[in-house]
Amino acid sequence: MNDKNKHAPLFEKLKSFSRLESMSFHVPGHKNGKIFTDLGKREYESILKLDITELSGLDDLHAPTGVIKESQQLAASWFGAEQTHFLVGGSTVGNLAMLLAVCAPGDQVIVQRNCHKSILNGLELSGARPIFVAPVFDEQINRYTAPTKAMINEALNAHPDAKAVVLTYPDYFGCTFDLEEIVHDVHQFNIPVLVDEAHGVHFSVGNMFPKTALEQGADIVVQSAHKMAPAMTMAAYLHVKSKLIPTDKVTGYLTMLQSSSPSYPIMASLDLARYYLEMINKDQLQLLNESVFEFRECLDNSIFWHVESNVFGVNDPLKVTIQMEKGINGLDVAKLFEHEKLFPELATYNQILFVLGLEPFEDWNWLNNAVQKINEQLKFETKHATIESKIDYFPDTIKGLIYSYEEMKNKKTMFLKWDDVFEHVAAEAIIPYPPGIPILVKGEVVTTQHLNIIKYLLLKGTSFQNVNINYGLNVFL
């Protein structure tokens, strides 16, 4: 790290400003933390002193010339981007902005089907026509991963006028693929590659992690800093490194989509997250690596599940997945972990995902005792999964929507009970959360496979981001 990088300019400016003990005759209404309910004042007191507005010397996210500009430039230097933007609305706002900047109504866009819902929302807002490319199913890990290079090339040859290719790297479970080769092929068509790298901000540290999307030639990359780096929730980055995309368009849409009163604590946490990543050294990575191996070994001490193998350097070692043995239901086992105050990131009927942090895990007794207690409890309980085999979510390799988003705007809809929706066209997406990847996309025909998995997940109490999920679905007439 260069000496000039050994600081976090935005955070340091906020910190020095808070020490002035100035009188606030400006927003926000808590007046530097002086006005706040006693119910939460002690817990919020320190952060409220940093929750300031665009005062003299504190710069403006929408027209940065001072400390915010400097902080973003330091981030661009670290991540290898030509331009980096701070996002205060999570990766969601970055995904929306990159799609709106690249796509116009009617444009065809090649999209990895198992993408986050924010990608689909961005496509709908832009009026683009998605060409979905299905991911492949990996029998070894029993889930879908990503499309192959051959599948992307097939879509490119069928739709050479596409305005962009949108990919997710890594996936929710930390699995990656050879993005560099795909980017190379896409660029032969002079088409940009947009990457949702929400779970890969820490790949920039190198060594024990896979290559970043920017290193592999992606044109725009969005990262959720808060997911895997120590940043506040909703803190994210958008990086641009491209000859194919006008950067002023990206900036313009971010100005429209982001709050005119962005959170300074969130922005400062982005400054600090970059600083934290830059300060990690080889010795720290070695200790982290040893901790990951020990965590996996402790977790693997069960006859009811096994820890999924992980190729370090290819997949993210901080994502640890356990695969349920036949007859054991992951959704039920996850509740047992929660009872022991160990909260995993995600559970499905056959898998549970644990996300480790960038510092070594230390509570070994807690973990060992929890695993032992859960093992004992499972010896007396048999949790049978009603689904034991692969469900084919994506029977079509390459597929478009039945209607364009423009057509959907003008179509009438009706709410139908689940028993009546078969072969109707969905007027809303069905989204289990986490991970926020739709089982059913707005504009898709409802199939038997859709109905089977939705009913099963409902039976097991899965959380959905749909208000009326227990009753039925809005469909187009």
Side-chain angles (χ1 to χ4, degrees):
M1 180 192 286
N2 297 327
D3 286 342
K4 70 174 185 177
N5 294 357
K6 292 182 179 177
H7 70 125
L10 178 55
F11 169 73
E12 290 162 10
K13 188 70 175 180
L14 284 181
K15 188 176 178 181
S16 64
F17 193 94
S18 69
R19 288 175 174 171
L20 293 176
E21 296 294 336
S22 59
M23 295 293 290
S24 171
F25 293 97
H26 53 78
V27 299
H30 58 68
K31 303 298 178 183
N32 299 332
K34 291 182 174 64
I35 300 175
F36 210 71
T37 174
D38 289 341
L39 184 62
K41 189 167 187 175
R42 183 167 61 88
E43 287 77 12
Y44 273 83
E45 195 167 19
S46 60
I47 198 70
L48 291 176
K49 292 178 180 179
L50 301 178
D51 186 32
I52 310 174
T53 190
E54 292 88 348
L55 303 177
S56 298
L58 295 181
D59 211 356
D60 183 344
L61 178 64
H62 295 288
T65 57
V67 287
I68 293 177
K69 180 180 180 180
E70 184 182 358
S71 296
Q72 290 185 148
Q73 287 174 335
L74 287 172
S77 175
W78 167 250
F79 290 106
E82 293 169 355
Q83 190 178 68
T84 291
H85 297 273
F86 284 0
L87 308 178
V88 295
S91 282
T92 291
V93 75
N95 286 339
L96 297 179
M98 73 178 181
L99 287 162
L100 288 166
V102 173
C103 308
D107 285 345
Q108 291 184 330
V109 181
I110 297 169
V111 186
Q112 179 176 336
R113 171 58 183 83
N114 56 334
C115 60
H116 188 263
K117 64 172 187 171
S118 58
I119 294 292
L120 298 170
N121 292 337
L123 291 167
E124 183 170 354
L125 287 172
S126 71
R129 298 201 68 147
I131 306 299
F132 291 117
V133 183
V136 296
F137 189 84
D138 188 327
E139 299 286 351
Q140 288 188 319
I141 59 175
N142 200 28
R143 64 175 179 269
Y144 287 94
T145 54
T148 64
K149 175 185 171 184
M151 294 161 73
I152 296 294
N153 282 332
E154 182 183 348
L156 286 167
N157 289 318
H159 305 278
D161 296 328
K163 295 299 181 182
V165 172
V166 185
L167 300 170
T168 303
Y169 172 99
D171 68 13
Y172 208 93
F173 293 83
C175 293
T176 69
F177 53 92
D178 194 342
L179 177 61
E180 192 165 4
E181 286 195 6
I182 292 176
V183 170
H184 175 270
D185 289 351
V186 175
H187 281 171
Q188 301 309 301
F189 290 79
N190 286 320
I191 296 173
V193 178
L194 317 182
V195 177
D196 178 354
E197 196 180 27
H199 288 263
V201 68
H202 58 308
F203 289 2
S204 58
V205 174
N207 198 346
M208 67 185 282
F209 299 106
K211 283 185 177 181
T212 69
L214 280 177
E215 286 180 282
Q216 299 183 74
D219 296 88
I220 300 184
V221 176
V222 176
Q223 299 171 329
S224 289
H226 67 94
K227 281 186 168 63
M228 298 302 296
M232 292 183 71
T233 297
M234 295 178 71
Y237 303 107
L238 184 149
H239 308 295
V240 184
K241 188 178 183 181
S242 178
K243 296 178 181 178
L244 301 173
I245 296 171
T247 57
D248 59 329
K249 274 194 157 187
V250 178
T251 303
Y253 277 109
L254 283 175
T255 299
M256 290 186 207
L257 295 168
Q258 299 221 83
S259 170
S260 59
S261 302
S263 164
Y264 270 83
I266 290 178
M267 288 191 289
S269 78
L270 283 165
D271 197 19
L272 289 168
R274 183 273 313 161
Y275 175 83
Y276 177 91
L277 293 171
E278 287 206 55
M279 292 297 290
I280 295 175
N281 58 44
K282 290 182 179 179
D283 290 340
Q284 289 172 304
L285 286 178
Q286 179 58 37
L287 291 173
L288 178 59
N289 199 40
E290 292 170 2
S291 172
V292 169
F293 276 100
E294 188 170 352
F295 183 90
R296 292 171 60 86
E297 189 175 88
C298 290
L299 197 58
D300 209 19
N301 186 24
S302 177
I303 62 171
F304 301 104
W305 65 75
H306 65 274
V307 174
E308 182 181 299
S309 61
N310 193 340
V311 182
F312 286 21
V314 174
N315 297 323
D316 184 357
L318 301 185
K319 299 291 184 73
V320 180
T321 303
I322 59 175
Q323 299 269 357
M324 300 299 107
E325 299 299 339
K326 189 173 181 179
I328 303 300
N329 192 288
L331 294 165
D332 296 321
V333 175
K335 291 177 182 176
L336 297 178
F337 272 102
E338 291 177 1
H339 184 73
E340 299 302 324
K341 299 182 181 178
L342 290 169
F343 285 78
E345 169 67 17
L346 170 70
T348 67
Y349 73 93
N350 64 344
Q351 299 173 344
I352 302 176
L353 172 64
F354 297 83
V355 178
L356 301 180
L358 281 166
E359 294 189 1
F361 181 79
E362 295 179 345
D363 294 316
W364 300 115
N365 287 336
W366 195 342
L367 178 62
N368 281 316
N369 289 337
V371 170
Q372 184 178 347
K373 287 179 182 178
I374 293 169
N375 280 329
E376 290 297 321
Q377 191 160 348
L378 287 174
K379 287 178 183 178
F380 298 99
E381 298 179 15
T382 305
K383 301 293 183 181
H384 290 286
T386 58
I387 299 176
E388 294 289 356
S389 59
K390 170 196 168 186
I391 297 174
D392 194 356
Y393 284 87
F394 313 110
D396 301 308
T397 303
I398 298 174
K399 180 184 179 183
L401 297 177
I402 298 299
Y403 307 119
S404 70
Y405 287 118
E406 189 62 33
E407 289 173 320
M408 288 188 235
K409 285 181 183 177
N410 300 314
K411 292 192 75 65
K412 292 182 179 180
T413 64
M414 175 184 290
F415 185 82
L416 295 179
K417 293 181 180 179
W418 284 117
D419 290 341
D420 302 320
V421 301
F422 177 64
E423 291 190 340
H424 282 80
V425 179
E428 61 178 317
I430 298 299
I431 307 168
Y433 195 87
I437 297 170
I439 291 172
L440 179 65
V441 168
K442 183 177 179 180
E444 275 189 326
V445 174
V446 182
T447 65
T448 301
Q449 290 95 328
H450 292 134
L451 293 172
N452 284 344
I453 190 61
I454 291 167
K455 288 179 179 179
Y456 174 75
L457 294 177
L458 282 172
L459 182 66
K460 290 300 175 182
T462 301
S463 296
F464 284 83
Q465 293 189 323
N466 300 83
V467 175
N468 294 312
I469 187 68
N470 290 306
Y471 308 106
L473 177 73
N474 284 302
V475 300
F476 290 113
L477 296 178

